[in-house]
Amino acid sequence: MKKKLRYRTDLNLCDWGYVMMTEQVAESFCGGHTNEAVVLHLFLLTQSGYQMRIGRADDRLCVLVGSNEKIYHYRYFRINDVQYYCFDRSMDCRAMQIYNQPFPKEKLMSLDMTQPKLSVKKTNPRTIGSKRFTQAKATVVLNQNLIDFFNSCPVNSEWQLYSKASLSDMAKDALYPALREAIEGKTQAQAANILLNFVQTGFDYATDQQQFGYERPLYPDESLYYPFCDCEDRSILFACLVRELMGLDVVLLDYPEHLSTAVCFTEDVAGDYLLLDGKKYVACDPTYIGADIGMTMPSMRKHTATVIPF
């Protein structure tokens, strides 16, 4: 098995990256959108240990990818409590016959993200900075190929998967030195306020519907790339910055139609908070513009948030 997955390991591919790579390999051998390519793709994935099935609609075959993640915008079939997704849009409206053949030691596709090793195509530089703390400012250049890869990934509502993805090394090299310098020597409260205001005021706000026409959370690199971001994107990015620059635990707070964060400080910090497993998490809202840590958006005070840990 290790030898079969060597290319995935060498390229640091997540499961979705491996599914895409094997599809391209199959189509390069058998031709694009052919039944022969589908059969080869299925063979490569099942022999690599993934839980896949094959579907047939009229004279067309397609690979059905097993995953129990909640993936949006794609058709799926539920078989024995497993969701099998069809990522071939041309098969969306067709009645389908499915060959439900299990394979030994098969596993479901995960949407956990890794940083794939891709060739570099630089984006245009973009300067991002806090309006209150002007020292928290950096010019970032990203890898367009990575942005394009994220754009291909299935959309889901597992917010923690986006935040766990972290920033790319390229983004960190551009952003982290300036932010580390900005928070150096500060108390935890002061440092968190700097990072919070950086996210609050360094980015223009727009809903996903306004920017993309559909709901779409952004990976941290994407928030640095696209012209706008919304509450979940800001919360995902802020959580990433606090964990990696301050070494503190963060949770996401899922309110009705709103996402925010709370930070577990090791110093005494005042403000709105919640207790989780005996630990105090202080509210930090990256979309409540100008608000300091410890301040909850007034419209959210009447709601109870669902806590999403990492």
Side-chain angles (χ1 to χ4, degrees):
M1 180 65 70
K2 290 183 179 179
K3 188 173 182 181
K4 292 177 183 176
L5 298 178
R6 188 188 69 191
Y7 288 112
R8 190 187 76 171
T9 302
D10 290 347
L11 296 173
N12 199 35
L13 296 177
C14 61
D15 287 351
W16 175 251
Y18 190 69
V19 168
M20 290 186 63
M21 185 192 76
T22 49
E23 180 181 47
Q24 292 175 6
V25 169
E27 291 189 349
S28 69
F29 276 98
C30 302
H33 306 291
T34 62
N35 287 341
E36 292 79 7
V38 170
V39 172
L40 179 55
H41 190 206
L42 179 75
F43 174 81
L44 293 173
L45 289 172
T46 55
Q47 291 302 301
S48 298
Y50 289 97
Q51 188 164 334
M52 304 286 160
R53 299 294 184 263
I54 192 166
R56 178 177 178 269
D58 299 326
D59 60 347
R60 291 281 312 283
L61 300 178
C62 72
V63 171
L64 300 175
V65 180
S67 177
N68 278 339
E69 310 280 10
K70 186 180 290 185
I71 297 173
Y72 296 148
H73 313 310
Y74 287 101
R75 184 185 188 189
Y76 70 88
F77 302 88
R78 193 166 185 84
I79 305 172
N80 298 332
D81 293 326
V82 174
Q83 293 166 180
Y84 291 92
Y85 287 89
C86 176
F87 293 109
D88 185 343
R89 293 291 193 191
S90 68
M91 308 286 272
D92 278 355
C93 298
R94 299 187 181 196
M96 190 173 295
Q97 296 173 307
I98 299 172
Y99 183 54
N100 184 28
Q101 171 62 54
F103 292 84
K105 298 181 180 180
E106 58 186 6
K107 69 169 188 175
L108 299 174
M109 182 188 75
S110 167
L111 291 180
D112 276 328
M113 183 57 62
T114 58
Q115 185 181 157
K117 295 179 182 178
L118 303 172
S119 60
V120 175
K121 178 183 177 182
K122 292 183 178 180
T123 62
N124 293 326
R126 179 185 182 186
T127 299
I128 305 168
S130 164
K131 291 183 178 178
R132 188 197 306 178
F133 306 100
T134 55
Q135 71 273 30
K137 181 179 180 180
T139 299
V140 297
V141 175
L142 306 170
N143 185 357
Q144 184 66 56
N145 290 329
L146 181 61
I147 299 298
D148 293 342
F149 172 72
F150 287 144
N151 191 43
S152 77
C153 294
V155 174
N156 70 94
S157 62
E158 301 294 331
W159 312 122
Q160 69 272 28
L161 294 180
Y162 289 85
S163 184
K164 281 166 55 179
S166 185
L167 283 161
S168 67
D169 290 341
M170 195 168 175
K172 290 178 183 178
D173 289 343
L175 186 61
Y176 280 10
L179 294 182
R180 284 196 179 99
E181 185 177 352
I183 66 175
E184 185 178 3
K186 303 293 192 297
T187 66
Q188 288 183 357
Q190 291 169 336
N193 269 326
I194 291 171
L195 297 180
L196 186 63
N197 192 262
F198 172 81
V199 178
Q200 287 173 347
T201 63
F203 304 87
D204 292 328
Y205 181 89
T207 67
D208 290 330
Q209 287 293 332
Q210 291 169 326
Q211 181 164 217
F212 300 112
Y214 61 94
E215 185 67 23
R216 178 185 168 178
L218 299 179
Y219 290 100
D221 271 62
E222 293 183 295
S223 290
L224 302 181
Y225 174 79
Y226 289 107
F228 306 103
C229 57
D230 63 8
C231 62
E232 69 257 19
D233 309 323
R234 292 165 183 241
S235 296
I236 288 165
L237 177 59
F238 177 72
C240 176
L241 297 179
V242 170
R243 288 201 324 270
E244 296 184 358
L245 293 174
M246 298 183 64
L248 299 177
D249 188 24
V250 188
V251 295
L252 299 177
L253 302 180
D254 190 3
Y255 294 96
E257 305 299 323
H258 184 62
L259 198 72
S260 184
T261 69
V263 178
C264 183
F265 294 98
T266 59
E267 299 174 359
D268 187 27
V269 174
D272 299 336
Y273 69 93
L274 60 91
L275 291 176
L276 182 62
D277 296 329
K279 296 181 179 179
K280 177 181 174 181
Y281 287 78
V282 178
C284 300
D285 194 331
T287 311
Y288 188 10
I289 307 301
D292 287 335
I293 60 172
M295 300 176 65
T296 302
M297 190 178 291
S299 60
M300 295 298 116
R301 289 183 176 276
K302 61 183 178 181
H303 299 290
T304 300
T306 300
V307 178
I308 304 175
F310 294 96

